[in-house]
Amino acid sequence: MRQVQRPNDLPLDVLLTCISNYQDSNLVKRLKLIGPEVKAVSEIFEDKVKNQRLHTLEPHDGVLGIITTQEMKNVYNDKFAKKGQPGRDIYDRLLNAPKLNKCPFCGYRVVSTLDHHLPKAKYPTLAVTPTNLIPSCFDCNKTKTGVRPLTSQEETLHPYFDNVEEDLWLKANIIEQFPIVFKYYVDKPDNWDELTFQRVKNHFEVFELGKLFSVLAAGELPIRELTLNRIYYKAGSDILRLQLKDYAESVEKVHLNSWQAAMFRALENSEWFIQEYFFHQGKQNA
C-alpha cells in the first residue's frame, strides 16, 4: 500500500459545489439542509479511521430522513464524477493525486476511478466526502467490493491516513520447480503491534496482492534469466548472489515493499537457485 496526500477539500464545500447547477429548487433546498450532517459525519469518519474504529460506524439509509440514498448516489454519479459537471474538477484532482498515477491499494496498476472507502450504498452521507474517496485501479475497486469491516483487523489500510511504507513487510519464498513459482506473504516487523500486522495481512488478502505479485514475478524472471545465466557461468555463484542483492537494493531505494525487491531477495536467499538452477538449465544461454 502506498500513501497518498490527504485532500484539503472540505466535505460541505464539495457538496455545495456539486449541487450548484441543479434546477430542482426543492432538491437543492433539501440537500443544503443536510450540509451540517455531512460535515459532522465526515469528521466522525476521519476520527474513526485514524483510531482503527471505523467498524463502529453504523450504516444508514438516507440522510436525516430528508435525502434518500439514491439521491446521494445521484449527486456523486451525476454532479461529481460526470465530466462537465461542477464537481468533476475535484474528482480529477483526487484521481491524479498518487505519484506516477499508480493505484495506492496495490501500488502497481494505473489509477482509473475513485473508490468509496465506505460504500455510498451503506453510508450515503459520505458519498462525496473527499477523505472517503480514494484513487484506485479498476481491479482493486472491484476486488474490494462493498463489504463493511466488522472489526479493527478487517479495516483495510487507508492511503490518506495509514503509512506502512517505512517498514519492510513484503517478502517472498520460491517453490523449487521449473518454472519457478513465487509465493508472497506479509512478514511482521519487530516494531509493529499485532493490530497493524493483522490489518496489513487483511489488506493483502482483500486486494489479492499475493496473486498479483506472483503473476508479475513470473513474467519478470524470464526477462532477467539471460543476464543471470551469463553471470553464473562466467563469474560464479557468489557474484550471482551479489548481482541479485544489487537488484534488490536498487528497487528498495525507490519503493521498500516492492514485489521486485521481494523477488530478488527470495532468489538471493535461495541456495537452490544460486547453486543449482542454472546448472540444471544448462549453458544454452551462456
Side-chain angles (χ1 to χ4, degrees), residues 176 241 266-277:
E176 298 176 359
R241 193 189 303 275
L267 295 173
E268 175 195 348
N269 294 327
S270 169
E271 288 301 320
W272 173 80
F273 182 80
I274 295 296
Q275 303 295 342
E276 301 181 35
Y277 183 79

Side-chain angles (χ1 to χ4, degrees), residues 14-258:
V14 175
L15 175 64
L16 294 177
T17 297
C18 288
I19 68 175
S20 62
N21 72 342
Y22 266 133
Q23 300 302 307
D24 185 336
S25 59
N26 177 264
L27 177 59
V28 171
K29 180 180 179 180
R30 290 188 292 116
L31 284 165
K32 287 182 177 180
L33 285 175
I34 67 165
E37 180 71 0
V38 169
K39 180 177 182 293
V41 174
S42 297
E43 290 173 352
I44 293 170
F45 165 78
E46 290 193 17
D47 180 70
K48 289 183 179 295
V49 170
K50 293 173 184 177
N51 292 285
Q52 297 84 49
R53 300 293 295 167
L54 196 58
H55 63 284
T56 65
L57 189 61
E58 291 296 327
H60 50 275
D61 184 25
V63 187
L64 298 177
I66 299 173
I67 292 293
T68 67
T69 296
Q70 186 57 53
E71 285 172 327
M72 286 304 294
K73 286 183 178 181
N74 291 344
V75 171
Y76 177 83
N77 294 326
D78 299 338
K79 299 299 180 181
F80 185 76
K82 191 173 183 179
K83 290 184 178 180
Q85 294 300 315
R88 181 65 194 207
D89 285 347
I90 304 171
Y91 180 100
D92 287 338
R93 189 160 61 248
L94 297 177
L95 196 70
N96 295 321
K99 293 179 181 178
L100 302 178
N101 205 32
K102 293 294 182 69
C103 173
F105 292 122
C106 65
Y108 295 96
R109 292 180 292 238
V110 176
V111 166
S112 59
T113 188
L114 293 181
D115 175 75
H116 283 80
H117 195 68
L118 289 181
K120 59 184 179 296
K122 293 183 174 70
Y123 300 87
T125 308
L126 298 169
V128 294
T129 294
T131 51
N132 190 43
L133 301 172
I134 302 172
S136 169
C137 67
F138 177 83
D139 288 329
C140 284
N141 179 250
K142 294 304 179 185
T143 301
K144 178 169 170 279
T145 72
V147 178
R148 62 179 287 256
L150 299 178
T151 66
S152 294
Q153 290 82 357
E154 292 180 4
E155 295 179 18
T156 54
L157 300 176
H158 194 306
Y160 296 147
F161 300 104
D162 292 310
N163 182 10
V164 294
E165 295 187 73
E166 296 177 1
D167 300 307
L168 178 60
W169 54 264
L170 180 63
K171 295 189 178 179
N173 290 322
I174 67 171
I175 296 178
E176 298 176 359
Q177 64 180 49
F178 298 94
I180 289 176
V181 174
F182 293 87
K183 292 291 186 181
Y184 285 82
Y185 64 96
V186 177
D187 185 57
K188 182 183 177 184
D190 293 338
N191 61 314
W192 278 13
D193 58 31
E194 187 62 23
L195 177 56
T196 301
F197 177 50
Q198 293 300 327
R199 288 187 66 212
V200 174
K201 282 181 62 180
N202 177 66
H203 185 99
F204 190 80
E205 292 167 5
V206 166
F207 291 102
E208 300 179 357
L209 299 185
K211 178 181 178 181
L212 170 63
F213 297 161
S214 293
V215 170
L216 291 172
E220 177 75 10
L221 181 57
I223 296 173
R224 304 279 185 168
E225 277 197 2
L226 178 60
T227 299
L228 297 175
N229 182 287
R230 287 173 174 170
I231 291 171
Y232 175 79
Y233 280 106
K234 294 178 179 178
S237 58
D238 289 342
I239 302 302
L240 174 62
R241 193 189 303 275
L242 285 174
Q243 180 63 66
L244 290 165
K245 184 174 185 292
D246 285 346
Y247 280 154
E249 290 178 351
S250 179
V251 177
E252 286 169 348
K253 284 186 69 68
V254 178
H255 182 53
L256 184 61
N257 292 290
S258 159

